[in-house]
Structures are given as structure tokens and as C-alpha cells.
Amino acid sequence: MIVSLPPSMMEPTMRWFGPKDPVSLRDLRQAGCAGVVTALHHIANGEVWSIADISQRKTVVENESMRWSVVESLPVHEDIKTQRQGYEKYLENYKQSLRNLAACDVKIVTYNFMPLLDWTRTDLSYVMADGGVALRFDMIDVATYDVHILQRPTAAVDYPEEVLQRAATRFAKLDRAGIAALEKTIVAGLPGSEESFSTGEFLQRILTYQKIGLQNYKQHLVEFLQAVCPVADEVGVKLVIHPDDPPFSIYGLPRVVSTAQDLRDLFAAVPNPSNGLCFCAGSFSIRPDNNLVEMIKEFGERIHFVHLRNTQREAYGSFHESQHLQGSIDMFSVVEALTHISAQRGVSLPMRPDHGHQILDDLKKSSNPGYSAIGRLKGLAELRGLELGIVRSAARATEAQ
Ligand code: DNO
């Protein structure tokens, strides 16, 4: 008997940062990927992705017998987010890039609407008990940076007294090198962020967002989608928004995709079929009030791309990225809920193991933080095993009835 994988299983993918990524396409293929998640990082934010550039990347991926499954990300220019004068030209460019991607048959496009910073961590080398290296977000570091280094005028009101006290103690112990390291990790941009700032520039830009305020910023997202979704609908592209990471306000910046209610509001305001979600389990999991399984059930129709990563919540809103199957997320229930969606909709959702620890040979090599080869390979292998177990047991249970 030949055993093949059930067709409704999620499509195994990994992120590839392009030809400069120290992890090669061949590595991804050997790790079990059928698809690749990539972006044209060499094109400046806001510029059009040409058909020639897209086709070239597609060919490189296909030459390794994989497909370009998902774009992550087609970045939304800061001027669109703030609606700075003249931003309409970037909307037109965005629409053109969507048309060009569709013409090359690349039809799932990830973006985020986080102001200034994409994802945020404060420690890129957090050593776990087994010697593996993980990424961590430490609220005390965030408060230290915000109150004492950035010196944002209203920062102190955003933290509980205990956090402020701990931040003051930590700042007193920081030397110049420690301050520089913290600044670098926070504002210099993590992989995929595309933007980086000096601390002075960062503060100025934060103040612009504070003037916009939360309600207007939500409206900016709605207006962005109202402008681009009709084009995406027409050419058959699914635009999938990545949730805020972490899913709460930092540095006083507005957050618009952190909770189930945010998603409800977003899909009610822009019901177009192209308005979709990148379900990032790790990001949503940081809020204990986010029930991941319920969210998958409620927004199942809108999910077109999945990031699977676990996190361990700590005190004060801090967290670190844990092993894929262990942590604050019940990964079994999350994967089970996702398999129901795949089966109901008859689709194979592209899924990538989101980040991984640096382990084994990863520790001797340099790679983009969170995106080493072996840590992700382990994550993908565990997740696929879990998924296959769920799908096959469900099939057996049905057969037995
Ligand atoms: C981090 C990623 C994010 C994500 C963007 C999507 O590892 O999940 O950088 O790609 O937010 O636009």
C-alpha cells in the first residue's frame, strides 16, 4: 500500500529572505517545504513590484521544485498609514504591484498595519535551559527604553508603578554599550521590517501617530483596504493582514489588529472577499483574552495563511518564544481547528512554522533572528506530525462509525 498525505493538510512552507538569506532554498526543500514565502526585499517600500522582478524570483523558487505560495510582505508605505499628503501615489503603486503579482499567479499577499515597527522583541539571544537560543520580549526593557532613553513625554502613565521602578533600576545599571544594544534591537528593525530609525527620528514619528489617535488610525486601515480590495478582488488576490506583534500598544502607538473585536470591526467595515487574515498564533497568543480556537472558528473563512509558533507568557506582559508544541498555546487544539477549516473549505492553507530556536549547527552560523534552518525544520516537522495525526485519527473515527 502506498500511503500519501491527505490533500487537505496545510501546505508546508517557510520564509525565505531572498538570495542573501543564509538559509538556502535547498535547505527549505530538504526541511519538507512544498512552498516558499518570500518578498522582494530589494525594492524600496512603496515602489511597484514589476512583473520582471516577480517572475525572476518565481523562477528561482520553482527551479528548486517549490512554488512561491505567499508574499510576505508587500509593505504598506508609512505615508499610507499616516495619510500624509501625497500618499495616494503609494496606493496606486500598491494596486499595480497586486496586479503584477496576480499576473504571475502569486495570489496570497501578507501585509501589516503596525505603525513604524513591524514585530518587536528586546532580546534576540535568550538562552533556554537546553542551550538553544530564542527571542524574547521584556516589558521592563521596553519601559527602560521608552521612559529613560527615548524619553517619550507621556511614557510613564503607560506602565504600572512596579514596572517603572524596575525600569529605573535597570537603567541605572546600563552602560553606553547596553543602551546602544537595546536601541539597536528595538528600533533598528527585525528581519522583514524594512524600516529602521534613529531614536530621535523614532520619537518624532511616534508623536505623529499620537496626534492621529486610535480611532482615526483604524479608519486609515479601512480606507487603505477600501482603496486596494476592489483591485485584489478583481485579480483574485487574497490580502492577509498580520496581527500586531505584540498585540497591545507599545510606545503609545495605536494598535488595530490585536483582538477578535478588531477583526470583527475590520471585516464588517470592508467585507470584500479579498480582505483576509494571516492567522499568526504566536502574536495573538500574547493576550490571554484571545481565545485562539474561537478566533479560528469565527474568522475561518478569512484565513488564507497560517503562522504557527508558541509563546510563553511571563509577568508584566513579557514573553519568550517557546518550543512549537509547548507554551501558552494548546497547539493541538489550534491545529485541530485549522484542519477543520481546511476540510470544510477544501483548501490546503499555506502554513509556516513561525520562527524557531537556534539549535545544533544553527548556533555556529549566522541567520536572520528567528529564522535559522534547524530550529524551523524541527518546528515544521513537529507541526506536520501533529497535523497528520489529527487528520488520520479523524478519518479513522469517521470510518469506524
Ligand atoms: C515576523 C513576521 C512579521 C510579518 C509582518 C507581515 O517574524 O511575522 O515580520 O512578516 O508583520 O507584514
Side-chain angles (χ1 to χ4, degrees):
M1 183 178 105
I2 297 171
V3 178
S4 53
L5 296 176
S8 63
M9 275 187 69
M10 291 185 275
E11 179 187 35
T13 70
M14 275 192 204
R15 193 170 191 181
W16 187 58
F17 287 99
K20 289 195 189 136
D21 193 327
V23 181
S24 69
L25 284 173
R26 181 59 60 94
D27 294 337
L28 266 50
R29 190 174 164 200
Q30 290 179 5
C33 293
V36 172
V37 174
T38 189
L40 304 182
H41 296 282
H42 57 281
I43 299 181
N45 279 11
E47 298 305 315
V48 174
W49 289 16
S50 71
I51 292 195
D53 278 321
I54 298 166
S55 309
Q56 193 192 21
R57 175 63 57 87
K58 206 178 163 211
T59 306
V60 171
V61 170
E62 288 174 355
N63 284 346
E64 271 300 342
S65 306
M66 294 177 288
R67 70 175 194 118
W68 183 356
S69 314
V70 179
V71 171
E72 182 175 356
S73 307
L74 180 59
V76 179
H77 195 277
E78 276 293 309
D79 286 2
I80 297 181
K81 293 182 182 172
T82 56
Q83 295 200 347
R84 191 175 143 167
Q85 206 184 5
Y87 74 99
E88 293 84 353
K89 75 165 184 272
Y90 293 117
L91 285 179
E92 291 312 311
N93 288 357
Y94 206 91
K95 290 180 200 168
Q96 192 54 46
S97 296
L98 293 178
R99 288 192 195 99
N100 293 350
L101 283 162
C104 298
D105 206 28
V106 180
K107 293 196 165 168
I108 303 177
V109 176
T110 318
Y111 70 101
N112 72 74
F113 217 74
M114 288 178 255
L116 301 176
L117 303 174
D118 189 321
W119 52 308
T120 299
R121 299 289 181 272
T122 57
D123 185 355
L124 309 182
S125 314
Y126 180 62
V127 182
M128 306 290 294
D130 64 5
V133 171
L135 306 182
R136 182 164 181 267
F137 176 95
D138 183 334
M139 192 62 99
I140 310 298
D141 275 344
V142 168
T144 305
Y145 174 75
D146 197 7
V147 177
H148 299 282
I149 302 172
L150 187 64
Q151 299 181 347
R152 184 169 61 89
T154 54
V157 297
D158 287 348
Y159 302 93
E161 192 48 38
E162 201 180 335
V163 170
L164 289 173
Q165 274 173 19
R166 284 172 186 262
T169 311
R170 189 164 295 177
F171 181 66
K173 289 189 194 143
L174 273 184
D175 58 12
R176 281 176 94 170
I179 292 176
L182 194 55
E183 279 185 312
K184 183 164 181 282
T185 309
I186 290 176
V187 283
L190 288 173
S193 309
E194 321 291 353
E195 304 265 0
S196 64
F197 307 99
S198 67
T199 287
E201 214 183 333
F202 187 48
L203 183 58
Q204 280 315 308
R205 289 183 179 236
I206 288 175
L207 298 178
T208 305
Y209 278 99
Q210 284 190 339
K211 273 192 214 131
I212 294 171
L214 179 61
Q215 285 318 318
N216 287 332
Y217 192 57
K218 271 198 163 191
Q219 188 56 25
H220 288 191
L221 170 57
V222 167
E223 287 170 18
F224 163 68
L225 288 170
Q226 284 170 337
V228 298
C229 281
V231 173
D233 287 338
E234 186 189 313
V235 296
V237 162
K238 298 292 184 200
L239 269 170
V240 293
I241 193 159
H242 187 282
D244 304 324
D245 183 358
F248 45 70
S249 173
I250 44 175
Y251 313 120
L253 292 166
R255 291 301 219 191
V256 289
V257 196
S258 296
T259 64
Q261 191 56 48
D262 289 338
L263 294 172
R264 250 168 243 138
D265 294 345
L266 183 64
F267 297 133
V270 188
N272 301 52
S274 57
N275 183 15
L277 174 66
C278 162
F279 189 82
C280 177
S283 300
F284 282 129
S285 75
I286 298 308
R287 294 180 70 107
D289 57 340
N290 276 340
N291 181 327
L292 267 52
V293 170
E294 290 304 318
M295 288 168 90
I296 293 169
K297 285 186 190 156
E298 182 172 350
F299 305 109
E301 286 289 320
R302 300 270 176 185
I303 298 173
H304 304 292
F305 180 34
V306 178
H307 285 183
L308 291 180
R309 156 168 77 77
N310 219 321
T311 56
Q312 185 60 58
R313 291 192 289 262
E314 302 173 26
Y316 314 119
S318 301
F319 62 90
H320 66 267
E321 300 190 356
S322 51
Q323 304 279 359
H324 285 82
L325 301 187
Q326 288 160 285
S328 306
I329 300 179
D330 171 5
M331 198 55 86
F332 171 83
S333 301
V334 165
V335 173
E336 185 182 42
L338 288 166
T339 61
H340 288 160
I341 292 183
S342 305
Q344 271 166 12
R345 285 173 40 195
V347 291
S348 172
L349 292 172
M351 174 276 283
R352 69 173 181 85
D354 196 17
H355 309 169
H357 292 177
Q358 276 174 272
I359 51 172
L360 312 176
D361 256 29
D362 291 340
L363 292 163
K364 300 181 205 139
K365 294 178 179 165
S366 77
S367 52
N368 290 303
Y371 291 94
S372 65
I374 302 175
R376 286 187 297 161
L377 178 155
K378 180 181 175 211
L380 184 65
E382 291 181 342
L383 291 163
R384 292 186 80 206
L386 172 64
E387 187 187 11
L388 181 63
I390 292 171
V391 170
R392 292 289 301 268
S393 324
R396 281 230 169 122
T398 314
E399 275 161 29
Q401 275 169 13

